[in-house]
Amino acid sequence: TRYGMSDDFDMVALETVNTAIEAVVDLASPGYHRNWPRRAKALRSGAALAGALASFVVGCIVFIPPIMAFLTS
């Protein structure tokens, strides 16, 4: 299960970086209403979503076999 814990901490780190980038974009463009700040936020959020999906897949790979073995025994 150590891989699952590592993956959870990676997701927390990814979300922290996402929040930091959003704050910097907001600070750098307070009255600037072009599409690039929105795109930067959307791309970073997409990366966070990809990290969440990867975390889910790793969790399934790690935990489903033991659960299935327990349920069939």
Side-chain angles (χ1 to χ4, degrees), residues 8-23:
D8 291 341
F9 288 123
D10 290 345
M11 196 59 225
V12 170
L14 188 60
E15 283 296 335
T16 303
V17 171
N18 182 31
T19 303
I21 288 175
E22 286 184 2

Side-chain angles (χ1 to χ4, degrees), residues 1 3-5 9 14 16 20 25 28-32 38 44 46 48-50 70:
T1 61
Y3 295 113
M5 288 297 289
F9 288 123
L14 188 60
T16 303
V25 167
S29 59
Y32 194 67
R38 188 177 308 140
R44 192 62 206 152
L49 177 63
F70 176 75

Side-chain angles (χ1 to χ4, degrees), residues 2-3 5-6 9 12 15 17 22 24-25 27 30 34-35 45 47 51-54 56 59-60 63-64 66 72:
R2 77 182 170 120
Y3 295 113
M5 288 297 289
S6 173
F9 288 123
V12 170
E15 283 296 335
V17 171
E22 286 184 2
V24 168
V25 167
L27 183 64
R34 295 229 178 194
N35 283 337
S45 296
L53 291 174
F56 176 75
C60 288
F63 292 112
I64 287 179
T72 58

